[in-house]
């Protein structure tokens, strides 16, 4: 099978998953105890407004009919209206998505850049100080609640040392938001050549992304170390050593490339975790992403918004998994024959 | 014949000691081992598991794992002391001057790198090729190990190649730089006998044509006897004897060597010959239970078809392609076993012999065909419900891997008591204990081991537990599925004798499944040879082995490693060598 | 019995020890051979004691508000200081142990029981049930799990009970997957085939021969998930779901304290956060020890 066929096959395989997600998000609102119309109407609704909404949303019809309507709305990109802002949910989510993505991707990049070298070194120099450091990072990382790390960092770096700016969003009030190109403020400011703005945005981004990175560091470093150790103990590595291959080649081409397979898989898990942790970090740092949006919606029981948030997060995750699957297939020839 | 003493040795190991750090302190794996390999010589290092033979070779290569350490001794190779050499020097020598091939060839290759690239890596590392020539040279190396369509195979990944093919690639990597010494660590273990022969002949031809020396590490004395000029015998980390191959077989000096040679089935005329004289029991009285010779089991047209793996989509796709994905593991075989008879079922891996025995044992449902046991149709009851059948206690089995066939959480006594509780409906702890102790005594298991867990028992002891469990309900038919394949030869000798005595004592019938024709010769009166799910030959063992009719049987027989020095001792089986 | 004469005397001298003595000896062996495991069990015991007797141990009423004592830093009288309403933070941290443990233990117990059963059946019998359950689990795993838990709690109603259910649901796939994998590799193991030959029914084999052997990996999963479940539940209450003020719970206490971090009142968030961390840390350490305890191969 050629690479294109594989990519296509993987995309086809993602379709049932997306369908499952749509079914679950639909069921979450319609099949659970409680009156969905009341949720959709919001906290301050009267009996009449609820009845009106029920009719308007088609909740008086049978479940399959409702599901069909839901599917039709989804296919036209309609996630419903937010009751608190009156705006279409899809538009609001799209507007806030770049902020969340900027945070998540920066954090992920940061943690990959630290975790993988750390895990590799820990495995290569087993029981050395770097291995102990890795062990410490891993144990601390899985035990620290994200929101707590964030608060600690704020207290130390903002309140005590004054190094970090106030944890109040993406940009302080002194700077004007640069024209949107990528939606990532730091990049946009750089493109617009507004260096001061870029610096300010980067300073704002630093603490939340470090918080998130600390959280994702642990599983990645642990898996890197374990996968590397397994590869180092493998029989093919012994063959490579017995053939006199140089240490660098043995480590990089023989051990690391094989270790990469489980690492890539873990990356998917880590992404899932960080999408969840994002919500917490956004709350701590008042980051105006979709997590904050969902939290505002939760407070006022704005259900269309919450539903839209859950759905879009899941779809985002499916896309990431799809990308990871494709990367995996390209690295591992064994995956290519299983259709 | 090379006279090693007249040439300066290529490799000289003197007083080598290797230690392993374990949780309970250091353990000496190799103690004061000395051996020499002359130029062009093939030296065999023979020993059972735990004898330290592989560790010795890893020490020579200086590729012991982290826990291992050379404590003392000298390893001289072409005038260089390898024990004192630094890592860059060693790395230069490995693959260029000393190479190594391993057992389990598929795992020995990088799973995600094309095999051709793996050969290139070695060529480029040792400056045998530039990047431009590397590919052509790698293909030439593949051709050198007699791989056909080498240019296409260059791109293949290990998982796309058979085990024998993978071992050829490993050999190609090892020989790419024409080293002076090749260390072969159990190179054929796990391969089928026919593949085994092809691989060994390849190694012999290639090393001879280039005048290389070979260090062959093996547990198989027959293999060493056929391919080696001299043999070193190791036991528990020590060299007990080293001699010219012929002298070793004709006049073994050390008692351990004598026992090892004796336990190797090639030489034995009867099953008793496998045991040392002091352990030999009197021949049991010939079994003559009531009804000997009447049919017990009748298998007719037995077929097992496995569905292709995969989900709905794959099955929909393969539908209409005339069952392209299905696999006929057993393809219409018929045979019978009479009371008190022992029948051998022989074939290489994947020939369907294990599937056949699983169907007869009612562990697996047949696709079609019939299995008559004492006149009753076994296939009438689905395998999933056979546990409740009254015939369950009549059909029992001894499994291939004694360790894997014991529940890690159950003691030996619990394992033996299980069938008594479930099939004989016994109750009362004291009564059961007494019965278990009697069974243990019958299979020669010391009673103080009965309360141990499997991991606290040795391989032979676990085999005895498995046998005691199988005979607990006095079955009429016992299937022995490669019962000694996982055991060392000396343990195998004892277990085979035990099985043979038990059959005489209880008048059981055996279906003895094995890949080892020599063992079948000693254990069975009749033999069935299987290949690709079909029977290729059936008859009296003596007849089939001395005058095989089917080409496949001839091939199998020819593939058995058989040192020339032993041939006179097995003259009663006039084996046609290919 | 004639064979008795050949029995080595050893077997007669030492009578078989009772199962309890043996288990206790093994427990002691595991504890002494690994000090970290010992520490973890010590911490766990401490947490259980605090959860059980917390209300009797606390020096102050965790709900009593004293306006004049609001936001006081740690002192001899208030070890962990007081919060914005003048409540004693130490007492609240202690009291919260029970609720937090209850939430995570019941959530993990639920998902362990359901997940292991589901996975074991799927792994043993395969077929349509395996495919169906696999689909459902895949769909759960297709969501970022914390986000799914948010959605479930938001939809099913904002109660502690629903926090437990949501946490159980998002943890379920982990157990089911481990159980399925561990059961299916053993489905045709030698000793399982032997048990079939010994006349055990399929159900009996699954229950008595296979499941006990899957315990070691399940135990590691259990302790890892326990820590994760605590983090999840605390995360949910941190964002205002489930537990409502003035109930003492670590997550919500950190959330309340968060507002005072920027003005330097660190003790409000630090102590409940540290308690949370310690609990998760304990369970993470516990994993290997639990595996050693249930693994017969570790016995000597």
């Amino acid at each position: 099978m050629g690479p294109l066929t594989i990519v296509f096959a993987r995309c086809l395989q993602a379709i049932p998953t997306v369908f499952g997600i749509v079914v679950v998000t639909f069921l979450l609102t319609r099949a659970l105890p409680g009156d969905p119309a009341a949720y959709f109407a919001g906290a301050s609704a009267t009996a009449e407004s609820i009845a009106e909404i029920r009719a308007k949303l088609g909740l008086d019809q049978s479940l399959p009919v409702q599901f069909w309507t839901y599917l039709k709305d989804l296919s036209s990109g309609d996630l419903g209206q937010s009751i608190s802002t009156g705006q279409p949910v899809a538009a609001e989510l799209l507007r806030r998505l770049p902020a969340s993505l900027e945070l998540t991707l920066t954090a992920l990049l940061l943690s990959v850049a630290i975790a993988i070298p750390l895990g590799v070194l820990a495995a290569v120099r087993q029981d050395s100080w770097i291995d102990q450091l890795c062990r410490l990072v891993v144990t601390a990382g899985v035990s620290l609640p994200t929101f707590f790390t964030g608060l600690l960092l704020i207290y130390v770096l903002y309140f005590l040392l004054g190094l970090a700016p106030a944890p109040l969003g993406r940009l302080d009030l002194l700077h004007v938001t640069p024209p949107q190109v990528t939606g990532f403020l730091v990049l946009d400011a750089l493109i617009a050549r507004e260096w001061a703005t870029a610096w300010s945005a980067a300073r704002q981004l630093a603490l939340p992304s470090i918080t998130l990175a600390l959280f994702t560091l642990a599983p990645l470093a642990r898996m890197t170390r374990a996968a590397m150790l397994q590869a180092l103990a493998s029989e093919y590595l012994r063959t490579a050593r017995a053939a006199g291959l140089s240490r660098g080649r043995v480590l990089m081409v023989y051990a690391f490339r094989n270790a990469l397979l489980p690492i890539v898989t873990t990356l998917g898990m880590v992404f899932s975790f960080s999408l969840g942790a994002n919500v917490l970090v956004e709350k701590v740092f008042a980051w105006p992403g979709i997590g904050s949006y969902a939290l505002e919606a939760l407070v006022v029981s704005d259900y269309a918004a919450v539903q839209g948030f859950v759905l879009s997060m899941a779809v985002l995750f499916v896309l990431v998994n799809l990308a990871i699957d494709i990367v995996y297939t390209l690295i591992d020839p064994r995956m290519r024959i299983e259709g | 014949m090379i006279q090693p003493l007249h040439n300066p040795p290529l490799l000289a190991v003197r007083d080598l000691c290797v230690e392993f750090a374990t949780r309970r302190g250091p353990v000496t794996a190799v103690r004061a081992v000395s051996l020499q390999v002359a130029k062009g010589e093939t030296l065999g290092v023979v020993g059972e598991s735990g004898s330290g033979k592989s560790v010795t070779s890893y020490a020579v290569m200086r590729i012991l794992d982290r826990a291992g350490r050379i404590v003392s001794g000298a390893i001289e190779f072409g005038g260089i002391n390898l024990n004192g050499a630094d890592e860059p020097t060693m790395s230069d020598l490995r693959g260029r001057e000393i190479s190594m091939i391993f057992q389990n060839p598929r795992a020995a290759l990088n799973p995600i790198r094309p095999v051709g690239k793996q050969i290139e890596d070695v060529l480029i590392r040792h400056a045998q090729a530039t990047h431009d020539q590397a590919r052509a040279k790698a293909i030439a190396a593949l051709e050198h190990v007699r791989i056909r369509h080498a240019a296409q195979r260059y791109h293949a990944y290990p998982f796309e190649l058979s085990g024998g093919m993978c071992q050829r690639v490993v050999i190609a990597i090892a020989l790419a730089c024409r080293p002076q010494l090749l260390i072969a660590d159990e190179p054929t273990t796990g391969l089928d006998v026919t593949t085994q022969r092809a691989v060994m002949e390849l190694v012999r031809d290639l090393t001879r044509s280039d005048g290389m020396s070979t260090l062959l590490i093996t547990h198989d004395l027959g293999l060493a006897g056929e391919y080696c000029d001299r043999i070193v015998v190791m036991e528990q980390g020590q060299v007990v004897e080293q001699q010219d191959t012929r002298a070793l077989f004709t006049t073994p000096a050390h008692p351990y060597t004598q026992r090892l040679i004796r336990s190797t089935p090639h030489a034995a005329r009867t099953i008793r010959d496998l045991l040392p004289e002091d352990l030999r029991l009197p021949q049991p009285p010939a079994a003559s239970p009531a009804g000997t010779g009447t049919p017990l089991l009748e298998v007719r047209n037995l077929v097992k078809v496995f569905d292709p793996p995969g989900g709905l989509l794959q099955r929909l796709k393969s539908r209409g392609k005339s069952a392209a994905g299905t696999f006929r593991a057993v393809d219409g075989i018929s045979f019978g076993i009479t009371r008190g008879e022992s029948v051998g079922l022989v074939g290489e891996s994947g020939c369907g012999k294990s599937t056949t025995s699983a169907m007869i044992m009612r562990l697996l449902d047949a696709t079609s065909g019939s299995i008559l046991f004492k006149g009753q149709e076994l296939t009438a009851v689905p395998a999933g419900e056979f546990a409740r059948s009254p015939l369950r206690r009549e059909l029992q089995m001894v499994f291939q891997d004694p360790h894997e066939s014991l529940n890690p959480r159950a003691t030996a006594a619990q394992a033996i008591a299980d069938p008594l509780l479930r099939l004989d409906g016994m109750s009362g702890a004291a009564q059961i204990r007494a019965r278990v102790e009697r069974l243990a005594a019958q299979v020669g298991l010391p009673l103080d081991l009965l309360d141990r867990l499997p991991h606290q028992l040795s391989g032979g002891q676990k085999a005895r537990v498995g046998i005691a469990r199988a005979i607990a309900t006095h079955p009429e038919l016992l299937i022995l599925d490669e019962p000694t394949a996982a055991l060392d030869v000396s343990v195998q000798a004892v277990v085979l004798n035990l099985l043979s005595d038990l059959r005489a004592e209880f008048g059981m019938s055996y279906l003895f499944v094995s890949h080892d024709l020599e063992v079948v010769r000693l254990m069975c009166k009749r033999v069935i040879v299987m290949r690709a799910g079909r029977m290729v030959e059936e008859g009296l063992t003596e007849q089939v082995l001395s005058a095989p009719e089917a080409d496949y049987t001839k091939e199998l027989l020819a593939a058995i490693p058989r040192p020339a020095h032993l041939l006179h001792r097995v003259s009663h089986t006039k084996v046609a060598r290919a | 019995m004639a064979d008795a004469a050949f029995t080595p005397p050893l077997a007669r001298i030492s009578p078989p020890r009772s199962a309890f003595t043996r288990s206790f000896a093994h427990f002691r062996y595991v504890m002494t051979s690994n000090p970290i495991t010992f520490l973890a069990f010590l911490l766990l015991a401490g947490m259980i004691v605090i959860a059980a007797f917390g209300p009797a141990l606390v020096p102050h009423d965790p709900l009593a508000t004293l306006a004049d004592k609001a936001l006081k830093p740690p002192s001899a009288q208030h070890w962990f200081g007081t919060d914005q309403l003048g409540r004693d933070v130490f007492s609240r941290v202690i009291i919260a142990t029970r609720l937090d443990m209850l939430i995570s233990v019941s959530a993990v117990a639920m998902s362990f029981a359901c997940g292991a059963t589901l996975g074991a059946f799927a792994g043993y019998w395969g077929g349509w049930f395996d495919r169906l359950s696999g689909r459902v689990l895949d769909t759960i795993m297709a969501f970022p799990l914390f986000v799914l838990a948010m959605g479930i709690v938001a939809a099913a109603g904002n109660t502690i009970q629903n926090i437990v259910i949501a946490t159980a649901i998002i943890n379920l796939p982990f157990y089911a997957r481990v159980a399925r994998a561990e059961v299916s590799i053993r489905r045709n193991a030698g000793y399982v085939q032997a048990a079939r030959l010994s006349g055990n029914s399929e159900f009996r084999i699954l229950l008595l021969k296979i499941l006990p052997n899957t315990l070691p990996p399940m135990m590691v999963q259990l302790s890892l998930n326990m820590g994760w479940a605590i983090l999840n539940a605390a995360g949910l209450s941190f964002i205002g779901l489930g537990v409502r003020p003035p109930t003492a719970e670590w997550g919500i206490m950190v959330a309340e304290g968060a507002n005072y971090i920027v003005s330097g009142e660190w003790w409000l968030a630090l102590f409940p956060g540290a308690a949370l961390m310690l609990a998760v840390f304990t369970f993470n350490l516990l994993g290997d020890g639990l595996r050693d305890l249930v693994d017969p191969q570790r016995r000597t």
Side-chain angles (χ1 to χ4, degrees), chain A residues 249-324:
Chain A
R249 199 159 189 85
V250 167
L251 286 183
M252 291 317 294
V253 179
Y254 282 75
F256 184 65
R257 274 199 204 164
N258 276 288
L260 212 50
L261 300 171
I263 296 174
V264 166
T265 311
T266 313
L267 211 55
M269 273 312 282
V270 163
F271 197 85
S272 158
F273 287 162
S274 49
L275 285 181
N278 223 0
V279 179
L280 300 170
V281 175
E282 286 185 12
K283 181 178 154 80
V284 171
F285 290 91
W287 197 259
I290 49 178
S292 302
Y293 175 69
L295 288 182
E296 287 159 22
L298 267 180
V299 172
V300 294
S301 293
D302 182 356
Y303 207 77
V306 176
Q307 190 186 29
F309 163 73
V310 172
L311 184 71
S312 54
M313 280 297 189
V315 169
L316 189 63
F317 184 40
V318 168
L319 290 179
V320 168
N321 268 337
L322 190 62
I324 281 177

Side-chain angles (χ1 to χ4, degrees), chain A residues 126-127 235-236 238-239 241-246 249 253-254 257-258 261 331-334 336-337 339, chain B residues 58 61 63 66 91 94-95 102-104 107-113 118 121-122 125-126 157 159 314:
Chain A
Q126 224 185 322
D127 296 328
E235 295 182 35
Y236 54 83
R238 195 177 56 192
T239 313
R241 284 178 65 203
L245 298 190
S246 66
R249 199 159 189 85
V253 179
Y254 282 75
R257 274 199 204 164
N258 276 288
L261 300 171
I331 305 177
D332 189 350
R334 286 166 293 189
R336 288 176 211 161
I337 48 160
Chain B
Y58 293 164
M61 288 293 270
I63 53 168
R66 276 167 41 88
S91 167
R94 286 186 209 123
F102 304 92
Q103 63 172 309
N104 196 0
L109 291 170
N110 187 343
I112 60 167
R113 196 164 172 77
Q118 300 189 41
D121 287 340
V122 186
R125 164 68 180 86
H126 294 298
Y157 292 96
F159 75 95
Q314 275 89 348

Side-chain angles (χ1 to χ4, degrees), chain B residues 47-50 53 219 256 263 484-494:
Chain B
E48 295 181 303
S49 48
K53 54 190 192 303
H219 68 283
Y256 179 75
S263 329
T484 56
L487 301 175
D488 279 330
V489 278
S490 55
V491 185
Q492 163 174 287
V494 179

